[in-house]
Amino acid sequence: MERSRFFYLEAFAYFLLILGTLGDHLSTMIALRFPYIYETNQFAVFLMSKGLWLPFDLILIALGIAIPYLILRVKRGGPFRGLLAYPIILGAIRLGACLWNLSLIRVY
């Protein structure tokens, strides 16, 4: 059975969201182990202090996949295909943050 281009675009969007979010989360955890690196995002610091950082990221992933997925299935595509921009853009931003975090780590 042949898959449509839209199937691959949708899969890519969800994969990028998962990869970017978890990559940012893991690279931040690794980077914070170094004494010269600290978190400047006050919202992330608040979530870390309450132990809600991982659950919040998991909820963002779940909603970033569930909302576009469900709307695309209910409305049958059309102009709603633009909803895939959300997981693609958020995933790309978080992947960029992951790469930034990794660039901060210096080996002496």
Side-chain angles (χ1 to χ4, degrees), residues 15-84:
F15 177 74
L16 185 61
L17 177 65
I18 293 168
L19 180 69
T21 303
L22 294 181
D24 180 27
H25 191 92
L26 290 174
S27 65
T28 300
M29 288 175 34
I30 292 168
L32 289 176
R33 293 179 183 216
F34 291 86
Y36 54 87
I37 297 176
Y38 58 93
E39 180 63 61
T40 58
N41 180 346
Q42 292 303 312
F43 185 65
V45 170
F46 171 76
L47 290 174
M48 288 176 197
S49 70
K50 302 293 184 189
L52 298 173
W53 188 37
L54 180 60
F56 186 81
D57 274 348
L58 294 176
I59 288 170
L60 279 180
I61 291 173
L63 290 176
I65 292 172
I67 292 171
Y69 181 85
L70 292 174
I71 291 174
L72 288 170
R73 297 309 178 278
V74 169
K75 297 294 184 179
R76 308 264 183 204
F80 293 97
R81 289 182 176 188
L83 287 172
L84 288 181

